[in-house]
Amino acid sequence: MPLPTAIAVAAYIQVIRLLGTQTAQALITTYLRKGEQFHSYLTGLNLERGSEVSVSALSALAHKMAGAGAALSQSRATAVLSKQVQKQANVLSYIDAFWLTFFCAVGGLVILAFVTKAPKGPLTA
């Protein structure tokens, strides 16, 4: 293989390697962000304002934070409950991302199973 052709092939390989990594990272980051928003919404649907479960959870949290004062304890309890929902949504989005990568890997293996020998071309020996 002539030297200019080898240099061009090496450059193409590096560009594909770098752009593939950056593209995959951008896609998975977006998927995690959107998944967290989706799961936060779904988890928040179960926390209806005024329902018995949410009122009891907020009152239990406010009781634990009563040392800060009655006015602050309710707002801090709401903030703690919202953080718990956000943590749960974040964990669920990571679980979804792991499933996505698993199925992409399985799909890649299925595609790889059907790959045959490369045809003879200008870069083959």
Side-chain angles (χ1 to χ4, degrees):
M1 180 180 315
L3 185 62
T5 307
I7 293 172
V9 168
Y12 284 128
I13 289 172
Q14 290 300 317
V15 167
I16 290 170
R17 184 180 66 86
L18 292 172
L19 288 180
T21 304
Q22 293 298 318
T23 303
Q25 182 180 8
L27 288 174
I28 201 70
T29 303
T30 303
Y31 185 80
L32 285 171
R33 182 177 52 85
K34 292 291 189 178
E36 193 269 334
Q37 290 174 349
F38 174 72
H39 286 296
S40 180
Y41 170 74
L42 288 181
T43 306
L45 285 178
N46 295 325
L47 292 174
E48 297 176 12
R49 180 179 291 190
S51 72
E52 184 179 330
V53 175
S54 61
V55 168
S56 67
L58 282 174
S59 65
L61 286 170
H63 179 68
K64 288 182 181 179
M65 298 177 189
L72 285 177
S73 65
Q74 191 65 29
S75 64
R76 286 186 180 176
T78 305
V80 166
L81 187 61
S82 115
K83 280 288 186 192
Q84 292 298 325
V85 168
Q86 184 180 11
K87 283 181 188 178
Q88 195 68 0
N90 204 3
V91 168
L92 289 171
S93 71
Y94 270 91
I95 290 170
D96 288 348
F98 276 112
W99 278 112
L100 175 70
T101 55
F102 170 74
F103 286 122
C104 286
V106 169
L109 289 173
V110 168
I111 290 171
L112 191 61
F114 293 106
V115 173
T116 59
K117 186 177 177 184
K120 203 145 183 80
L123 297 178
T124 57

